[in-house]
Amino acid sequence: MGHSIYSRDIILILSASFFYFSSPMLVTPLITGFAGSVGASAALMGIIGGLMNLCSLFCRPLVGNLADRFSKYRVSTIGAALMSLACLGYILSSHPAGIVFFRIINGMCFACCSVCMSTWMSNMLPREKVGSGMGVYGMMNALGMAVAPGIGVTVYQTFGYHTAFAIALAFSLATLLIVQLVRDKGEPEPAVLAARSEGRRPPLQIADPKVLPIAAIIMLFAIPYCAIQSFLVSYAEARHLAISVSLFFPLYAVVLLVLRLSMKSLFDRLPFPVFLTGSALSALTGILALAGMSNNLVMFLAACFMAGGYGIMCSVCQSTAILLAGPGRRGLANSTYYIGLDLGMTLGPVIGGFLYGNLELAWFYPALLLTVPPAVLVYPLFMRKK
């Protein structure tokens, strides 16, 4: 469409993406404790914690089809409005059943916003700038992931759950407002509009077959990262490590922001296998550093290498999925990518829990190394056929 990577509409979409991502990320570290405070059992607390991602996973195929057939503005507006409703629901909930209901709503709206806004953004970018543009988009998501949980925990500790959820509501309302200001409404491709006017409705698709290998690759990168995310604190405590665990993820986010900014032109110039190889080596190094972690310096190095592994592959896989699918199918491509990411985010804590409970702690991180080689093998086995 010939837009600059820094056009007015793109800056608005980037701002909206920061707020839509920040809202659920602020809620996530608080929702299980809040559920317990209103009477949820330990088992139900765990279910509530994972319910948003699970619901989002099942909604993504439908949202991917909607993003290709309807205005991205319309679907994003619905998503932001539902996200605001979910946050308001948390504030008003006094029973676990209410929290379950609004977590489901939160999962639906998160699927709407994540798929539609990334598709909307990609359609505004020239084809030769998709890699760098989606790298900046991913950077805004990473910024939300780094900032929002800290805000949520700090506000909760000072003022309580309801005030923290009110800030999440403000983030959602900011998303809703900013989306209204975007001039390019993200209408479907002309071929899609022509088919609709002729009464032809293409069948709903669960995933884009071209993008499935990319989804598998990001799933395999996400599994060790999400296992680390879930068990780093417990691992350090069990091994009596004198390290500042709370600094791992903020440092990861800072390094990732620096990498994405400094490498943004490379995302458009270098082929996918170069990033896949480099990120696999970086992830392996990061996991090995965690296995031998004995002080803050080694932990910091591990955070840097994990940013170069999983963090970089998130951007590269998403932009590659978009380019593989082509115009008119970018919504489905994004939803397929996010299905792989959601599966990795779901399986990571599960696999991590199994390893943590059944292996000697010394083998916890070496066992996670086994997920990286299959990610590299997906490319020669499936991608070269595309």
Side-chain angles (χ1 to χ4, degrees):
M1 291 190 180
H3 291 258
S4 161
I5 194 173
Y6 298 112
S7 71
R8 174 187 179 276
D9 279 355
I10 284 178
I11 290 171
L12 287 171
I13 291 291
L14 290 172
S15 302
S17 72
F18 169 78
F19 286 115
Y20 98 75
F21 208 82
S22 294
S23 179
M25 290 302 110
L26 187 152
V27 171
T28 295
L30 304 179
I31 197 67
T32 52
F34 178 62
S37 73
V38 297
S41 65
L44 183 56
M45 287 167 64
I47 291 170
I48 287 171
L51 192 56
M52 188 192 84
N53 276 338
L54 187 63
C55 181
S56 180
L57 172 64
F58 284 104
C59 289
R60 288 198 192 280
L62 174 62
V63 174
N65 284 273
L66 291 175
D68 288 329
R69 300 178 192 200
F70 296 95
S71 157
K72 281 75 175 171
Y73 158 77
R74 185 188 305 177
V75 183
S76 296
T77 296
I78 292 170
L82 286 174
M83 188 176 291
S84 301
L85 175 64
C87 293
L88 181 61
Y90 297 143
I91 295 170
L92 300 176
S93 291
S94 58
H95 191 275
I99 300 174
V100 168
F101 175 75
F102 288 111
R103 283 305 271 172
I104 292 170
I105 298 293
N106 216 161
M108 292 167 57
C109 62
F110 187 67
C112 283
C113 289
S114 57
V115 172
C116 285
M117 287 195 196
S118 55
T119 305
W120 202 356
M121 169 88 176
S122 69
N123 284 347
M124 292 181 185
L125 294 166
R127 193 182 192 283
E128 68 275 10
K129 294 290 184 181
V130 168
S132 55
M134 294 313 292
V136 176
Y137 178 85
M139 184 178 69
M140 297 305 289
N141 287 178
L143 191 60
M145 187 183 295
V147 171
I151 293 174
V153 172
T154 302
V155 171
Y156 154 67
Q157 290 173 341
T158 309
F159 301 104
Y161 286 115
H162 288 165
T163 306
F165 295 152
I167 294 176
L169 172 60
F171 286 162
S172 300
L173 291 172
T175 304
L176 184 59
L177 174 63
I178 292 168
V179 163
Q180 309 311 307
L181 302 176
V182 181
R183 292 170 183 159
D184 182 342
K185 300 303 182 184
E187 296 294 341
E189 292 291 321
V192 176
L193 292 173
R196 187 193 301 170
S197 66
E198 295 170 7
R200 292 185 285 114
R201 294 187 177 183
L204 289 175
Q205 289 184 271
I206 294 175
D208 188 327
K210 293 180 183 176
V211 182
L212 284 174
I214 298 294
I217 289 170
I218 195 59
M219 179 191 75
L220 290 164
F221 270 91
I223 286 171
Y225 176 78
C226 293
I228 291 164
Q229 189 178 48
S230 299
F231 288 93
L232 182 61
V233 174
S234 301
Y235 177 89
E237 289 175 352
R239 301 205 73 178
H240 307 291
L241 299 176
I243 58 174
S244 304
V245 179
S246 61
L247 296 177
F248 181 89
F249 295 104
L251 181 68
Y252 165 91
V254 169
V255 173
L256 182 56
L257 292 176
V258 171
L259 285 175
R260 282 178 166 162
L261 281 173
S262 59
M263 296 174 63
K264 65 179 184 178
S265 63
L266 298 179
F267 290 140
D268 296 312
R269 291 176 10 214
L270 297 179
F272 182 80
V274 173
F275 286 106
L276 178 59
T277 304
S279 290
L281 291 172
S282 189
L284 288 170
T285 305
I287 296 170
L288 283 171
L290 287 168
M293 181 170 54
S294 58
N295 55 54
N296 281 329
L297 177 60
V298 179
M299 186 190 71
F300 291 166
L301 288 173
C304 294
F305 281 112
M306 289 307 296
Y310 168 73
I312 291 298
M313 283 310 292
C314 283
S315 292
V316 173
C317 283
Q318 187 167 24
S319 59
T320 302
I322 289 165
L323 292 172
L324 282 172
R329 294 175 62 84
R330 288 180 172 178
L332 188 61
N334 270 310
S335 70
T336 306
Y337 161 82
Y338 279 116
I339 286 170
L341 189 60
D342 279 340
L343 282 171
M345 292 174 72
T346 302
L347 290 172
V350 173
I351 292 172
F354 174 80
L355 296 175
Y356 190 80
N358 292 277
L359 287 182
E360 290 290 331
L361 275 180
W363 290 100
F364 179 78
Y365 289 114
L368 289 175
L369 289 170
L370 297 176
T371 61
V372 179
V376 179
L377 290 174
V378 168
Y379 183 82
L381 289 177
F382 297 102
M383 287 296 293
R384 288 183 181 177
K385 299 176 183 178
K386 304 298 178 187

